[in-house]
Amino acid sequence: MATTTAMATAAPKYWSGGKSPYNVEYGKLMMWLFLMSDAFTFGALLIAYGTTRFSANGWPNPNEVFNKYPGGANAPLVFVSIMTFILIISSVTMVLAVQAGQQMNRKKVAFNLVLTILGGVAFLSCQAWEWTTLKLNEHAWWGHNPFLNSNGTVGHQDFTNFFFTITGFHGFHVFSGVIINIVMLIMTLTGFFDRRGHYLMIEKAGLYWHFVDLVWVFVFTCFYLI
Amino acid sequence: MEQHTAYSDVHHAEVHGGGTKEIIKVTIILSVLTVIELALGLMMFKLKMPDGSLEKDFTKGVIVILMMAKAFYIVGYFMHLKHEVRNLILTVAVPMGLFIWFIIAFLYDGNSFKNLKNEYNPAYKERTTTQKALPVKEEKQEEKKKGVTD
């Protein structure tokens, strides 16, 4: 008994009981843990892609494959950089919404959430256009890769499989993020958070939305740049 | 009621750190890093750097480092992890160390698989390195045939 007391006093204050060692609300801690698991899911997909690329003698050059934009072609990286900036900006408006929530400013939260939702919808529209173009114009789809390797040999079959699976999985995350943000917007507008006394829910939705942005940083780099 | 007091303790500790200035700063940093990444990607393409050459691999390495920097700014500032207590930071960051093993082991494995295939299957090596693809229309038919035999 005496040793436990001694240990408790010697231990850092967070672990001596009576308060949360993480100093965050329960739901937020759980969101962090969920995002960690999700990071490993995305990590596994991207590493599978990397392993396949390392095991291949040839691979299509992304600058030649993804060089289209609405109304034209031969512009490598242009369309995807627009998509990237849309997601970064929507992440910024989400931070602003979280900040407004901490100040209990309902109007500002709602305004920034609307901007974030618009950004998410814009990103999804861009991706829908990209997929449609790849499928209809190039006949690229799961199980069919029309693009040649950069060394001129027949294209590696897994190029399109990985591209559609990973960007699709990310797009699905963006889609769920938009749905979550719409729910948050409705709850904000009906005054739910004001009645509850805090806007912590917005912070959790924000964590998820930033994670979606974070994953895009990796997907974008791995598929379009290198 | 008790939950409520517990929450307000947490909340006060969270608010400090951040601010609009920091958000603007991080936004600018992220945009600049993205522009540099895009410029490097475009440079690799415009200069027609051959695959596997030292300058291409080096550029790719730089892009990956910039990517990690972007990830740091998003997680640290947008997701606010930098302003959380040490316990939470370590709980989230330490398991990510698994990725060090994960990436090295699997990429090494992929590379080894490539070397084995090239060494023991000369037909595969020729098909994937020197044999040019046939023009588009014929290629499609051949692919269908190949699909049946494979």
Side-chain angles (χ1 to χ4, degrees):
Chain A
M1 198 58 207
T3 46
T4 15
T5 339
M7 270 170 72
T9 41
K13 58 182 171 131
Y14 281 120
W15 299 101
S16 52
K19 77 191 273 190
S20 158
Y22 295 105
N23 202 32
V24 288
E25 179 230 8
Y26 173 79
K28 211 169 164 185
L29 180 64
M30 291 304 119
M31 180 53 95
W32 270 111
L33 296 183
F34 162 70
L35 293 181
M36 265 171 60
S37 71
D38 221 17
F40 277 103
T41 310
F42 272 108
L45 283 169
L46 284 170
I47 290 167
Y49 161 76
T51 306
T52 308
R53 260 190 92 160
F54 268 67
S55 75
N57 281 326
W59 199 259
N61 184 343
N63 288 299
E64 281 159 13
V65 175
F66 308 110
N67 63 356
K68 295 167 195 66
Y69 59 93
N74 269 329
L77 290 176
V78 169
F79 192 62
V80 73
S81 32
I82 294 170
M83 287 168 76
T84 305
F85 276 106
I86 288 173
L87 218 50
I88 290 178
I89 299 304
S90 83
S91 223
V92 175
T93 54
M94 192 76 217
V95 185
L96 294 173
V98 169
Q99 208 182 35
Q102 286 168 348
Q103 298 155 358
M104 301 289 289
N105 186 341
R106 172 151 62 131
K107 262 193 179 162
K108 212 175 147 197
V109 172
F111 175 70
N112 281 306
L113 271 180
V114 169
L115 291 181
T116 310
I117 292 165
L118 286 178
V121 171
F123 180 86
L124 285 173
S125 315
C126 289
Q127 199 170 36
W129 181 87
E130 189 187 33
W131 277 42
T132 312
T133 318
L134 283 171
K135 169 111 178 84
L136 297 183
N137 297 2
E138 317 272 0
H139 306 290
W141 201 238
W142 273 280
H144 184 71
N145 173 23
F147 305 107
L148 301 182
N149 291 337
S150 54
N151 60 8
T153 56
V154 174
H156 196 290
Q157 282 304 304
D158 282 330
F159 175 70
T160 43
N161 290 342
F162 276 117
F163 175 77
F164 285 112
T165 304
I166 295 178
T167 59
F169 197 51
H170 175 262
F172 182 66
H173 274 75
V174 178
F175 177 73
S176 354
V178 169
I179 301 288
I180 290 169
N181 284 344
I182 289 173
V183 174
M184 291 302 122
L185 178 64
I186 293 168
M187 287 167 95
T188 308
L189 290 175
T190 53
F192 180 87
F193 297 126
D194 287 326
R195 282 197 298 280
R196 188 185 259 186
H198 59 79
Y199 279 75
L200 268 187
M201 203 77 137
I202 302 284
E203 295 186 23
K204 284 171 246 173
L207 279 180
Y208 182 78
W209 190 255
H210 297 316
F211 177 75
V212 166
D213 183 28
L214 174 72
V215 169
W216 181 249
V217 166
F218 288 88
V219 172
F220 160 72
T221 311
C222 292
F223 275 98
Y224 297 89
L225 286 175
I226 61 179
Chain B
M1 211 42 214
E2 244 177 24
Q3 259 190 341
H4 225 86
T5 38
Y7 155 71
S8 50
D9 286 350
V10 160
H11 194 74
H12 285 297
E14 258 177 68
V15 169
H16 60 74
T20 316
K21 250 189 187 167
E22 188 182 273
I23 295 173
I24 294 170
K25 198 185 94 188
V26 174
T27 311
I28 292 170
I29 292 173
L30 285 176
S31 310
V32 169
L33 289 179
T34 309
V35 170
I36 298 174
E37 273 191 347
L38 287 166
L40 288 174
L42 212 59
M43 185 187 83
M44 282 196 297
F45 179 60
K46 292 285 178 200
L47 296 182
K48 293 194 171 59
M49 292 183 185
D51 280 338
S53 64
L54 188 69
E55 67 261 36
K56 188 157 190 174
D57 287 348
F58 177 76
T59 319
K60 284 179 178 181
V62 174
I63 290 175
V64 168
I65 290 167
L66 293 175
M67 171 182 88
M68 300 309 291
K70 277 168 77 179
F72 170 79
Y73 278 106
I74 291 174
V75 177
Y77 294 96
F78 281 4
M79 296 172 86
H80 216 254
L81 191 61
K82 216 163 180 281
H83 301 299
E84 305 287 4
V85 298
R86 205 177 138 83
N87 293 329
L88 183 57
I89 296 175
L90 290 180
T91 303
V92 174
V94 170
M96 290 298 135
L98 267 175
F99 273 117
I100 299 171
W101 159 79
F102 202 177
I103 292 167
I104 294 173
F106 277 71
L107 296 190
Y108 185 82
D109 188 50
N111 193 46
S112 153
F113 187 37
K114 174 175 75 181
N115 294 338
L116 288 173
K117 275 190 296 184
N118 285 340
E119 191 177 343
Y120 293 110
N121 191 347
Y124 166 83
K125 191 179 179 186
E126 195 193 335
R127 181 158 55 84
T128 49
T129 49
T130 46
Q131 193 176 319
K132 297 291 173 216
L134 298 163
V136 182
K137 272 183 189 162
E138 289 166 15
E139 177 211 325
K140 260 183 199 162
Q141 283 174 340
E142 198 175 77
E143 252 173 44
K144 266 180 202 159
K145 273 185 214 158
K146 241 178 45 194
V148 175
T149 48
D150 277 354

